[in-house]
Amino acid sequence: MKRSQLPRVLRLLLWLYPRSTTAGFEREMSELVARRINNWGLVRTALWLLTDVVATHVRDVGRGGLSDIARGARLGVRRLLREPGLSLASTLTLALGLGVSSFAFGVEWGTFGRGLPVSDPGRMMDLTLTEPERGRREVDLRLAEVDRFRTAFSFDGIAAYRSSVANLAGEGGDARRISVQVVSADLFGLLETTPSLGRSLVAADHEAGAASVMVLSHAFWSSHYGADPTAVGTTVLIDGRATTIVGVMPAGFYFPSPMDAWLPHPAPDLRGTTGYRVLVRLSPGVDEDAAIAEASSIAEQLGREPPREGIRTGARLVYFPLSYASATMRTLGRLMNMSGLFLLLIACANVATLLVVRAARDSDEVRVRLALGAGRWRLLWESIGGVLAIGALGGALGWALGAGALRWYQATWPSAPLWWSYRLDLRPFLFLWSMVAVGCVVIGAIPALVAGRNPGDGMGVRGAGRAGADRVGTILVVAQLSIGGALLFVAGLMGRSAINLIGVEYHFAVGGVLTGRVTLDDNRYGSAEARLAFWTELEQRLQGLPGVRSTSLSSQLPMVRSGGAARFAIEGSDYSPDAFPRAYVDQVSRGYFANFDAPLLAGRSFNARDVMGSEPVVIVNQPFVDRYFPDGSALGKRIRIGQPEPDSVYRTIVGIAPHLWMDSDVNQRPEGLYVPWHQEAPASLRLAIRADEGPAQALTALARQALAEVDPSLALYELRTMRDWLDVRTTLYRRTGTIFIALGVVGLALSVIGLYAVLTFRVRSRAAEFGIRSALGGTPLHLQAIVMRRAAQSVVPGVVIGVGLALWLSRGLERFIFEVAAWDSATLFASFGVLGLTALVACFVPAWAAGRVDPAESIRGE
Amino acid sequence: MGTPTRSIPATSFHVLFALAGGAKHGLGIADHVEAVSDGRIVMGPGTLYGTIKRLVADGMIKETSWRPEMGDDDSRRRYYTLTSRGERTLRDEIEGLSRLLARAEEYSARLAN
């Protein structure tokens, strides 16, 4: 029975036996197998044979085959050293690809995935209320409401916290403003941290009449008290109240962002201050859906009691890191992950290309050695040994690069929240590395196996293995160029967007504007009259401060927004109950638009006649007009805001405002409405004070003083200049832009290295042909043209596929780039132009070499 | 101690045992092993020829020029026969096995009583 008469799968299995065992018995083995098929059928025979193949190899290795591997690896490494350029290129390619992509993955994971530094971060959630009928998705809780959730079976830990600022005065009387967190004592336990000095907060600190205490952050203790242990136990004045410092938290601990001190929240009462965010830990074994269901039923109950009575209320649970991430940030993260994956693919294809090239070059040698009786496995171990050496070195360099880049990223962002932790984790990195290594080995081994299959076949033809390698190489290069081009395009868009952001022109006053926020408590400001009186007096006092040009009070500021959009209805339009349109609604003072140098485009601003009880009015913004009144007939029309019930009031449109960045996201152009706070009497407003000249910070003390004169018990918090707000709002875009540019450049470099390697290989393997052509009178130019024509066969399809890929990608990009069209043709031309040009240079070097082949030299070489 | 222990792998024993009845080629050995084990042991080609190669290397069996006088002989088949060392090893092995078996029978008899 001849082997060729056996079914293909059995022939393959027989071929897999180690040569050392089976040499000389091929014919008998085939006969043995053929007999089995007659008895057992194909499937059982194949399984039997497979088991035997594995067992034979295991025995083989056990009897000294391992030294074969070691010998092979040594030979492989020696062969690498014989060609340091190619080996270095593979190693660096792997290092760059692994390092940069693991950096991209690390940034995404560190921001959204890793979570709080506790033993089980996956159970930490952010809890907020929702008011679906008002279109509010994240409603902060009152302390009394937080307590209602403590009994929930789904949570085994719950803590409320609120950012604030306070005045700190020592015995000397010199006051300074510190940023504090007003928190529940449970917070420290939930975050699994203990004080490094003294104690943290305890439940008794919340009781009415308890002595006032404070816990310092390590950074503030170091900077303000010179890390003096005796600071613990001293008494200071916090907002005029004698407060004892009871402890210091460990270095590096803060929550949620770097801050100075923690204060216990007051005893909860029904009308107590609102504005608390809530951190909960799910009970072990409770899933998110069950927890949401339970929290929602508690929230519904809250909606049936004062002060929420009549407001339909729900609950919302979000994995904690995501509660601080906008949709834009998350999509940017996904985009970054995808780019990292692309880069990894390029690197993988690149290393594989280099290996294929190497294997093809060695194929003649392999054939000769096989024919002389060298073991096929021995040869395979040789090539795998080389790959493993490259993999180990490239992996180590990649680790260093990725870990270093992430460390740098962390270091340049000192204001990052506690859980934004950027470091390279060993296990995912090893996983990535092994995927890449396996991919490379598989691709790299194919030519070696093919070359070794029938040792006799290729003997007559020199370079017989090269045609196949050439094809594989070309496909890999086309793939690299197209992915590299698409990556470069994305990088170009993100980069341009980042540059636009740095130089963005905001059409409102930015310089010299100080902003802060005041929230009234329900105890003393329960009535609309009391609130109106307070805001009116505060505005007058601020206006009267020396050095102040103008002021405004408003619920939100340009580029500063908390809270979502509200429903509205235009008079005369019919909406189905579920499909009411939404828009942002800001409550503003009369001087708001003038204060920000943003004059109305039409109509009038709010004036002294727009008060409670007078005709309700509204100003709409330009995006609103563009969408709902494209014919320009907005003025005089009427709108209802909020719950669409028949008796809710209609507001008359009296003016049209320009687009004033009502969203915190610089890239959004939302439809919005402005109503005078004089007709609403809100409990919380932001103030914006514009200095006559000089920096805005200079107004801080004056603003505090003005507030203290109206009501000394109220805090002025979120004190920031407008410039600071804008920096905070655009940091993410600027940083991601930089990262994307780095990804694009590395992608370009890698794909061009692949092209260069393949072309160099082609020129070298055809050296004889070029030599003959040259001897027959072929000019260098002619020879170069041959090489360039071959190069074009990779570059042209690569670019065409790449442009297609880029256009497909760009459809998803629109929302995340600033003032650049997603199909931006300039960026498209630029990125693929750069790619083509670099490719041209990479081709020219080997082409030039082809033109200079010395006929005598090349033929002698054969 | 004198406890009978198996000194060679089961596959080697089977090959030696098959050759005890006279020279055979690889396929013949496989057939013999299958027959004496009532079809429970079917040696795969790697196991069979790997064992043969190792036994040749260890001097337990040797290739022979002997050929059966008639039948479907193929001149390319290699025939093997036991060496004196192989015979000795096989004998020791069988002795050890029978001692082991005797003890096992004693044990099972005690269990039955």
Side-chain angles (χ1 to χ4, degrees):
Chain A
M1 177 103 189
K2 280 186 185 161
R3 181 181 275 202
S4 57
Q5 286 165 319
L6 286 174
R8 186 181 281 261
V9 52
L10 298 182
R11 285 207 315 264
L12 177 76
L13 284 167
L14 280 172
W15 177 74
L16 282 174
Y17 276 106
R19 249 324 132 75
S20 56
T21 306
T22 59
F25 295 113
E26 288 85 357
R27 199 180 166 78
E28 284 191 45
M29 284 174 73
S30 307
E31 209 167 327
L32 192 67
V33 173
R35 254 201 270 171
R36 281 297 134 206
I37 306 179
N38 294 339
N39 287 357
W40 286 349
L42 181 62
V43 175
R44 192 172 163 196
T45 308
L47 286 176
W48 168 73
L49 206 55
L50 181 67
T51 321
D52 192 54
V53 168
V54 174
T56 307
H57 274 289
V58 169
R59 274 199 298 271
D60 205 42
V61 169
R63 274 202 310 275
L66 202 62
S67 64
D68 243 21
I69 298 177
R71 238 192 333 269
R74 205 165 51 235
L75 269 171
V77 172
R78 202 178 298 159
R79 208 192 292 171
L80 288 184
L81 293 178
R82 218 161 55 195
E83 194 112 19
L86 206 57
S87 308
L88 195 68
S90 315
T91 310
L92 289 183
T93 293
L94 194 62
L96 265 179
L98 273 173
V100 178
S101 60
S102 61
F103 171 68
F105 296 146
V107 167
E108 200 271 347
W109 177 251
T111 309
F112 309 116
R114 190 192 304 281
L116 288 163
V118 296
S119 51
D120 193 355
R123 280 158 55 201
M124 308 303 273
M125 299 275 161
D126 175 82
L127 169 70
T128 47
L129 298 180
T130 60
E131 292 174 358
E133 280 158 1
R134 293 177 166 188
R136 297 174 68 186
R137 292 206 310 144
E138 285 176 65
V139 181
D140 292 339
L141 281 81
R142 287 161 212 272
L143 284 172
E145 290 168 337
V146 175
D147 278 350
R148 297 289 289 275
F149 287 94
R150 282 183 199 277
T151 54
F153 165 76
S154 304
F155 307 138
D156 75 350
I158 179 164
Y161 61 98
R162 192 174 75 123
S163 303
S164 188
V165 285
N167 273 316
L168 167 75
E171 286 94 32
D174 53 328
R176 64 176 285 164
R177 182 173 60 95
I178 60 173
S179 64
V180 298
Q181 288 281 323
V182 181
V183 302
S184 349
D186 322 62
L187 183 74
F188 302 98
L190 260 185
L191 294 172
E192 297 172 14
T193 181
T194 50
S196 63
L197 208 61
R199 67 169 175 95
S200 63
L201 301 177
V202 294
D205 294 331
H206 297 306
E207 282 165 17
S212 191
V213 295
M214 171 167 77
V215 174
L216 301 182
S217 75
H218 196 276
F220 185 67
W221 176 60
S222 304
S223 66
H224 195 68
Y225 293 97
D228 176 10
T230 63
V232 174
T234 58
T235 299
V236 293
L237 290 175
I238 291 293
D239 286 341
R241 199 169 161 201
T243 304
T244 308
I245 298 169
V246 294
V248 178
M249 294 312 284
F253 176 79
Y254 48 81
F255 183 83
S257 299
M259 33 77 72
D260 300 322
W262 288 271
L263 301 170
H265 66 63
D269 65 66
L270 205 55
R271 301 201 60 83
T273 25
T274 181
Y276 283 89
R277 292 198 75 147
V278 182
L279 172 69
V280 299
R281 183 172 62 203
L282 297 186
S283 301
V286 171
D287 69 14
E288 222 176 303
D289 291 338
I292 289 174
E294 189 184 10
S296 299
S297 73
I298 295 172
E300 269 168 41
Q301 185 59 41
L302 290 174
R304 283 185 224 112
E305 301 165 5
R308 291 190 181 277
E309 202 168 1
I311 304 169
R312 202 156 71 82
T313 309
R316 182 166 178 262
L317 274 181
V318 180
Y319 178 49
F320 185 77
L322 298 183
S323 70
Y324 278 80
S326 64
T328 310
M329 279 168 70
R330 297 204 50 195
T331 313
L332 274 176
R334 273 196 288 271
L335 199 65
M336 202 178 289
N337 262 354
M338 196 176 64
S339 303
L341 193 68
F342 273 14
L343 199 66
L344 211 55
L345 280 177
I346 296 179
C348 216
N350 201 319
V351 174
T353 310
L354 297 170
L355 290 175
V356 167
V357 165
R358 187 199 311 272
R361 199 206 44 224
D362 294 342
S363 64
D364 290 334
E365 180 192 331
V366 168
R367 273 158 212 283
V368 171
R369 287 178 57 192
L370 270 178
L372 292 177
R376 183 186 306 114
W377 288 96
R378 171 76 170 279
L379 291 173
L380 198 62
W381 282 125
E382 267 177 42
S383 61
I384 290 176
V387 173
L388 287 180
I390 289 178
L393 196 61
L397 283 174
W399 167 273
L401 184 65
L406 284 170
R407 183 172 300 183
W408 162 81
Y409 191 71
Q410 180 92 66
T412 55
W413 206 332
S415 62
L418 177 66
W419 59 94
W420 287 15
S421 167
Y422 303 105
R423 57 175 192 269
L424 201 46
D425 296 319
L426 186 63
R427 270 202 300 192
F429 181 83
L430 281 182
F431 175 74
L432 261 192
W433 177 81
S434 58
M435 293 310 286
V436 172
V438 166
C440 292
V441 166
V442 167
I443 301 175
I446 290 172
L449 288 173
V450 171
R453 194 154 172 185
N454 295 304
D457 291 357
M459 279 309 287
V461 190
R462 299 265 306 151
R466 290 176 183 171
D470 211 34
R471 239 186 343 263
V472 176
T474 305
I475 292 169
L476 287 174
V477 167
V478 168
Q480 281 177 61
L481 286 175
S482 53
I483 298 175
L487 197 58
L488 200 61
F489 173 65
V490 172
L493 284 182
M494 301 304 288
R496 280 193 61 179
S497 155
I499 289 165
N500 285 348
L501 274 172
I502 294 165
V504 65
E505 259 186 62
Y506 298 99
H507 303 292
F508 59 86
V510 174
V513 177
L514 178 76
T515 74
R517 191 172 176 186
V518 177
T519 299
L520 304 179
D521 59 87
D522 292 355
N523 292 326
R524 287 171 302 149
Y525 297 99
S527 70
E529 291 75 28
R531 292 196 295 271
L532 274 179
F534 172 84
W535 294 126
T536 310
E537 193 185 345
L538 179 64
E539 190 170 40
Q540 275 167 8
R541 282 195 187 264
L542 291 173
Q543 192 65 62
L545 291 175
V548 169
R549 181 158 129 196
S550 58
T551 60
S552 66
L553 290 175
S554 53
S555 57
Q556 315 288 348
L557 294 167
M559 290 289 288
V560 180
R561 161 163 298 275
S562 48
R567 296 183 186 193
F568 69 91
I570 298 167
E571 190 178 30
S573 302
D574 275 329
Y575 305 98
S576 77
D578 311 321
F580 278 87
R582 291 174 187 278
Y584 286 139
V585 179
D586 287 4
Q587 297 147 343
V588 300
S589 57
R590 291 157 190 162
Y592 182 74
F593 298 104
N595 191 33
F596 281 101
D597 280 346
L600 294 189
L601 304 173
R604 68 168 175 92
S605 189
F606 299 132
N607 60 35
R609 284 188 303 279
D610 299 320
V611 292
M612 218 162 243
S614 70
E615 186 200 16
V617 289
V618 62
I619 291 174
V620 298
N621 72 356
Q622 184 63 47
F624 187 93
V625 171
D626 292 345
R627 170 132 180 219
Y628 297 106
F629 300 102
D631 55 351
S633 64
L635 287 180
K637 293 280 169 31
R638 302 205 308 162
I639 306 176
R640 278 185 330 209
I641 297 170
Q643 258 172 307
E645 282 163 12
D647 59 354
S648 63
V649 289
Y650 276 105
R651 295 182 169 274
T652 307
I653 299 175
V654 295
I656 297 172
H659 162 54
L660 248 186
W661 284 269
M662 287 179 86
D663 197 287
S664 303
D665 187 338
V666 64
N667 215 8
Q668 302 298 312
R669 207 182 140 81
E671 295 101 34
L673 307 170
Y674 296 93
V675 298
W677 58 253
H678 288 90
Q679 291 184 336
E680 298 261 299
S684 178
L685 285 177
R686 295 175 188 274
L687 44 99
I689 316 169
R690 242 180 117 180
D692 255 337
E693 55 189 16
Q697 285 92 336
L699 297 172
T700 311
L702 285 174
R704 289 189 165 282
Q705 197 188 327
L707 175 62
E709 282 167 15
V710 185
D711 184 340
S713 69
L714 290 173
L716 179 57
Y717 62 105
E718 291 186 17
L719 264 170
R720 272 183 186 164
T721 64
M722 202 66 218
R723 179 71 64 196
D724 288 343
W725 275 117
L726 299 183
D727 278 349
V728 169
R729 294 300 189 226
T730 53
T731 303
L732 190 86
Y733 287 102
R734 282 182 279 128
R735 281 176 165 266
T736 41
T738 318
I739 295 174
F740 276 106
I741 291 174
L743 284 168
V745 169
V746 173
L748 171 73
L750 293 187
S751 44
V752 169
I753 289 177
L755 179 68
Y756 173 77
V758 165
L759 279 182
T760 306
F761 161 68
R762 271 188 201 140
V763 169
R764 269 206 234 153
S765 59
R766 290 173 70 186
E769 180 196 332
F770 286 124
I772 292 166
R773 281 177 188 273
S774 169
L776 293 177
T779 62
L781 204 65
H782 176 68
L783 299 180
Q784 283 157 9
I786 293 176
V787 176
M788 294 309 266
R789 212 161 36 231
R790 282 295 271 138
Q793 287 174 6
S794 300
V795 175
V796 171
V799 167
V800 169
I801 297 172
V803 168
L805 194 61
L807 290 177
W808 177 73
L809 276 178
S810 70
R811 291 190 312 177
L813 278 175
E814 246 165 284
R815 283 182 51 212
F816 316 107
I817 48 180
F818 181 72
E819 286 188 352
V820 187
W823 50 88
D824 185 61
S825 52
T827 311
L828 195 66
F829 281 123
S831 48
F832 283 94
V834 168
L835 180 76
L837 222 78
T838 325
L840 198 70
V841 173
C843 299
F844 185 74
V845 178
W848 184 75
R852 291 177 49 94
V853 167
D854 177 5
E857 215 24 60
S858 69
I859 292 166
R860 198 179 309 129
E862 289 287 298
Chain B
M1 298 281 282
T3 312
T5 49
R6 305 280 307 283
S7 56
I8 53 170
T11 50
S12 301
F13 175 79
H14 280 296
V15 173
L16 293 177
F17 184 46
L19 294 179
K24 285 187 182 61
H25 55 66
L27 285 171
I29 295 171
D31 288 345
H32 184 272
V33 171
E34 201 180 341
V36 297
S37 68
D38 297 328
R40 280 183 299 116
I41 301 175
V42 182
M43 290 172 115
T47 310
L48 175 63
Y49 293 105
T51 307
I52 289 177
K53 280 206 163 164
R54 202 168 58 250
L55 288 173
V56 170
D58 292 347
M60 302 271 197
I61 61 175
K62 59 174 192 259
E63 211 176 329
T64 170
S65 54
W66 177 90
R67 289 287 179 275
E69 283 161 16
M70 50 179 294
D72 58 343
D73 181 44
D74 184 326
S75 62
R76 275 171 298 189
R77 281 184 184 157
R78 297 161 155 198
Y79 281 77
Y80 295 91
T81 179
L82 286 179
T83 61
S84 53
R85 186 174 171 199
E87 269 177 53
R88 208 164 47 241
T89 308
L90 181 64
R91 214 168 34 236
D92 289 352
E93 200 64 30
I94 291 173
E95 230 169 74
L97 278 174
S98 38
R99 274 208 301 274
L100 186 67
L101 192 63
R103 285 182 192 185
E105 274 168 358
E106 265 174 46
Y107 179 70
S108 65
R110 266 216 307 280
L111 278 186
N113 295 337

